[in-house]
Amino acid sequence: MNRQYDPQQIESRWQSFWEDGRYFCVDTATAAKPYYCLTMFPYPSGTMHVGHGRNYIIGDVVVRYKTMQGFDVLSPMGWDAFGLPAENAAKQLGIHPKESTTRNITHMKRQLRSWGVGYDWEREIATCHPDYYRWTQWIFLKLYERGLAYQKAAPVNWCELCTTLANEEVLADGTCERCGRPVIKKNLKQWFFKITEYAQPLLDDLAELEGWPEKVRNMQANWIGRSEGARIDFTVAETGAPVPIFTTRPDTIHGVTFMAIAPEHPLVSELVSGTAREEEVMAFVQRQLMTAAAERADAATAKEGVFTGFHVRNPYNGESSPLWVTNYVVTDYGTGIVMAVPAHDQRDFEFSRQYDIPIKVVIQNEAGSLDPASMAEAFVDDGIIVNSGAFDGMTNRDAIAAMTQHAKEQGFGDFTVNFRIRDWLISRQRYWGAPIPIIHCPDCGAIPIPESELPVRLPDDVDFAADHGNPLARHDGFVATTCPSCGKPASRETDTLAQWLCSCWYYMRYVNPRLETAAYNKADVDKWLPVDQYIGGIEHAVLHLLYSRFILKVLHDADTCSFREPFGALFTQGMICKRSDKDGQLYKMSKSKGNVVSPDELIEQYGADTLRLYTLFIGPPEKDAEWNDQGIEGASRFLRRLWRRVHDHRELLLSAGAEVTELSALTEAERDLYRKLHETIQHVSHDMEGGFHFNSAIAQIMELSNALDACQVDASSSASMKTVFRVTIETMMRLLAPFAPHIAEEIWRELGHEHSILRAGWPGLDHEALKRDSVELALQVNGKVRGRLTAAVDMPRDELEREALASESIQKYLEGKTVRKVIIVPNRLVNIAVS
RNA sequence: GCCGGGGUGGCGAAAUGGCAGACGCACUGGACUCAAAAUCCAGCGGUGGCAACACCGUGAGGGUUCGACUCCCUCCCCCGGCACCA
């Protein structure tokens, strides 16, 4: 053992030790205490920064902690290997995606190893391997079989670079989640999954996910967007065409003075075709289609519209109102047609004022003062129903149910629930993805490829040269095939599956990564799943996590597994940010901002344990944190000091007793240190279980370390002091092992242990050791600390009160005052209330 | 607008009804050194004071309580999700 702490010398050795000894490999079949800890697998982008590292380090702490507790921990890692950057690199640099992906995986795997994170690499998977995507295609077929995969022509989100996008991939500002380009609507025939059919169970089961952050459950609930209301069937007065609408305010239905329809709605062109207004209306529609999604979605955009020339009949009172095409009704929500009630909806109010449409009050306020002529804004509060025939006089709250009930009885409406979530668009016009296993036959239509013929392999020899279009569609050898049904010439589907589908089920494949006959074995996944602890970034709160839950529910309903949620507990770590050198602003670490910190150099300079310790110490792991280049020095100093202490006392430690057997034989100083050790065990164990407070767990270990420094142990110390010293250092190594595993193993070995510290068990708590003979209490007068009192533990209240009142330090605060009450918090404080 | 999370020293933070600022960074002074680095020791919320000490202090204001960073009410600010959503 050198006096100088040299992580370079020890770290790679321990990394090989763990790997050669298969310390993180588990036999899924025989494991008695299964625990599945999963860290979200990365896209192999090439290189990772310290922000990525935080994710894997947190996961590794859990893996090591659970391993020390004796669990059979499943800790796999793999690659979300299909995706856009590899294909773009192919276009720009002429490197085949397969090649760049393989190279990136090699480099990133080296990085993961250098952090000392423990994975079962024997289970490594990559979603771009035919052995894997064969089963992704199988999942597509399962959905197809169950009527949950379908093709439709619809206006879809289109990004020039990323091609089609799911709704979830479009940000609130109308830009592409991936590349930031503006998203427009394009009419295309695409493949969708009917996630809407699972909207209710996806929402309901959120309640069961108690191990998930409230925030993520909340985000998913918002995204699903359940809204209770009524369906009311209006009709076009001139043609009798049905016009069903969704409303949450049926109580205002007698106040309808016009109807508003979305520009994209097919009924618009259907109605106006061949009429005098056709030109004007369609010009308006065209103009809206050309407007960017972001602008249309902006509530600040001025409301506009055009009259269609048609009217819509209100089934409640038979009145007809004009039908307007407007820019503020969205196609995607409800039926794309809205009953407009200017008196009681601010948007309708603004529109009606602009186009001189009448306003009719049907809910009167308490003062009875609402008058259409004088209203400055819509009245949206509760009130009493007026101008509504038989419903007059009801509160509007009561009228909501009563009016819907009336519609139900009359057969022109019903209670209904509307969801915001849309079906999931899963096709992409790209090469580097799993081909959709469908053949288009001129006679038979779209025919699924039989399961036995999977995988549909991606051809290697494709032409990436062209700027636009899907290289797969240009590959004649891939496209030309025969119909599985009739045998005639047919063509393959050339769209590939969205990357999200590949990453939807990888956590199951890890259980049976090399199984050739199925995606997974039911008994095995039932044993290991749901994942006990899932760890990843908050950016996947809706996309990956919602899609995974949906796909699992389908696989459950197809009777391929018995559980209904994939991830029992979820931990979302915060991002690492850093100030930009250019503008001094704080940004998430990214290449484009030029604020990335490379872990490779830090590991070279300080070692992986120091990097790990600082990453964990930087702040609470669920919160964003600012990387401070100087902060790592603190972690480095701590480990160097620890190393030196062990080095300097090595002989003493090796000769000292290994166990504290008789507490009563210890001196006060020895008891104090031993108590501090057990207080640390208590705190650290609590932080490991309750919310992953690794930052404070490390702080506790540092405190213990400081306490060790304070007791000057040397050759002349008593045998019992040496024993306590040794036990404290050894136990401290076990507490430190999940955070800084290399140095913990090395010191553990130096102190004479043959086996890995991973097998040493998590330290148990000795409640006897925590006990004290005397405690120092705070003496308060009216809640302010005015003195201290050392007293025996559990001193009787009356005795304590007597001593407190007699205490010299507080006499001056009691002079001339009357003691009204004395509050005693056992072993903590005495508070004297005076007046 | 609706929903959720925050606001504590120069900085990262700790304390979930009981002694605010543990632990660390930075900084200041000292020791060691020819010198520097490393290391070690001490100090480090604000104001006043030579000092003992006093007063103030957890976004603002109010409340509950013997006692509030912590619970309740009102408000301000920051971050995230949803949103012309009918």
Side-chain angles (χ1 to χ4, degrees), chain A residues 74-94:
Chain A
L74 175 58
S75 170
M77 186 41 70
W79 311 96
D80 186 12
F82 275 135
L84 204 54
E87 186 158 349
N88 290 339
K91 280 184 178 170
Q92 286 154 19
L93 309 168

Side-chain angles (χ1 to χ4, degrees), chain A residues 94-256:
Chain A
I95 306 164
H96 197 282
K98 214 177 192 175
E99 197 185 314
S100 58
T101 302
T102 308
R103 202 174 48 210
N104 288 346
I105 287 175
T106 307
H107 181 245
M108 285 169 67
K109 201 167 164 180
R110 199 180 304 139
Q111 282 190 303
L112 286 172
R113 277 208 180 103
S114 75
W115 283 320
V117 291
Y119 296 121
D120 182 350
W121 285 110
E122 293 165 22
R123 294 176 185 276
E124 180 179 2
I125 56 174
T127 56
C128 66
H129 287 159
D131 289 345
Y132 182 90
Y133 70 68
R134 166 184 186 175
W135 303 110
T136 307
Q137 291 170 338
W138 171 81
I139 286 172
F140 175 92
L141 292 180
K142 280 281 149 201
L143 273 97
Y144 188 86
E145 251 170 49
R146 304 179 70 77
L148 294 168
Y150 67 98
Q151 252 186 316
K152 76 171 173 190
V156 300
N157 301 306
W158 179 267
C159 164
E160 193 194 334
L161 180 69
C162 306
T163 75
T164 50
L165 300 177
N167 277 349
E168 290 81 357
E169 292 174 295
V170 182
L171 299 179
D173 66 357
T175 59
C176 173
E177 177 254 355
R178 175 120 219 169
C179 72
R181 286 178 173 75
V183 174
I184 58 161
K185 289 279 182 187
K186 204 168 173 177
N187 227 331
L188 288 172
K189 195 176 185 190
Q190 297 288 306
W191 286 94
F192 290 85
F193 280 167
K194 279 190 193 166
I195 194 171
T196 49
E197 210 156 277
Y198 280 74
Q200 192 66 55
L202 285 168
L203 183 66
D204 290 344
D205 291 351
L206 285 174
E208 286 170 30
L209 299 175
E210 282 161 18
W212 281 41
E214 189 66 39
K215 178 181 173 141
V216 175
R217 293 196 275 171
N218 186 35
M219 282 166 78
Q220 293 210 353
N222 275 343
W223 187 262
I224 294 166
R226 186 179 198 272
S227 177
E228 284 184 18
R231 185 202 84 239
I232 307 292
D233 301 324
F234 286 64
T235 43
V236 176
E238 288 82 356
T239 68
V243 184
I245 60 101
F246 171 75
T247 181
T248 55
R249 295 297 304 275
D251 52 325
T252 65
I253 204 154
H254 293 83
V256 171

Side-chain angles (χ1 to χ4, degrees), chain A residues 231-478:
Chain A
R231 185 202 84 239
I232 307 292
D233 301 324
F234 286 64
T235 43
V236 176
E238 288 82 356
T239 68
V243 184
I245 60 101
F246 171 75
T247 181
T248 55
R249 295 297 304 275
D251 52 325
T252 65
I253 204 154
H254 293 83
V256 171
T257 56
F258 68 103
M259 298 291 283
I261 187 166
E264 290 89 346
H265 201 291
L267 186 62
V268 174
S269 57
E270 218 172 277
L271 284 176
V272 300
S273 170
T275 70
R277 308 194 74 91
E278 180 176 9
E279 204 177 314
E280 192 193 343
V281 171
M282 293 317 286
F284 176 80
V285 168
Q286 274 312 311
R287 194 152 51 78
Q288 293 306 320
L289 293 180
M290 302 295 284
T291 307
E295 192 187 331
R296 287 190 62 188
D298 188 352
T301 302
K303 293 179 179 34
E304 283 186 82
V306 60
F307 177 46
T308 58
F310 289 83
H311 296 78
V312 174
R313 190 178 159 277
N314 184 337
Y316 282 82
N317 55 14
E319 282 175 18
S320 284
S321 315
L323 175 65
W324 287 69
V325 183
T326 72
N327 65 343
Y328 71 92
V329 174
V330 297
T331 331
D332 282 357
Y333 190 79
T335 61
I337 307 172
V338 171
M339 62 176 221
V341 185
H344 305 293
D345 181 285
Q346 187 58 27
R347 294 154 300 179
D348 300 342
F349 182 87
E350 285 166 27
F351 191 85
S352 68
R353 280 281 193 251
Q354 190 175 336
Y355 292 99
D356 280 328
I357 296 168
I359 294 172
K360 182 182 171 192
V361 170
V362 290
I363 298 173
Q364 190 51 265
N365 64 16
E366 259 178 60
S369 62
L370 289 179
D371 173 33
S374 62
M375 285 170 81
E377 58 181 10
F379 176 72
V380 296
D381 297 333
D382 290 336
I384 300 299
I385 298 290
V386 295
N387 295 327
S388 301
F391 299 98
D392 284 2
M394 289 179 105
T395 67
N396 72 297
R397 291 285 174 129
D398 291 341
I400 291 175
M403 290 198 192
T404 310
Q405 184 61 33
H406 175 74
K408 188 176 180 178
E409 283 159 11
Q410 299 296 309
F412 59 74
D414 203 348
F415 295 90
T416 187
V417 171
N418 192 61
F419 290 97
R420 201 198 73 93
I421 191 172
R422 300 293 86 199
D423 275 345
W424 174 17
L425 195 165
I426 47 129
S427 33
R428 299 290 181 274
Q429 292 67 53
R430 308 210 60 107
Y431 163 76
W432 194 232
I436 293 177
I438 289 285
I439 288 169
H440 296 282
C441 169
D443 293 341
C444 313
I447 301 292
I449 287 166
E451 214 179 296
S452 59
E453 286 175 32
L454 297 180
V456 178
R457 283 173 189 274
L458 273 181
D460 286 338
D461 55 330
V462 290
D463 165 28
F464 293 107
D467 252 5
H468 287 285
N470 181 356
L472 210 48
R474 293 193 294 267
H475 191 288
D476 294 339
F478 177 80

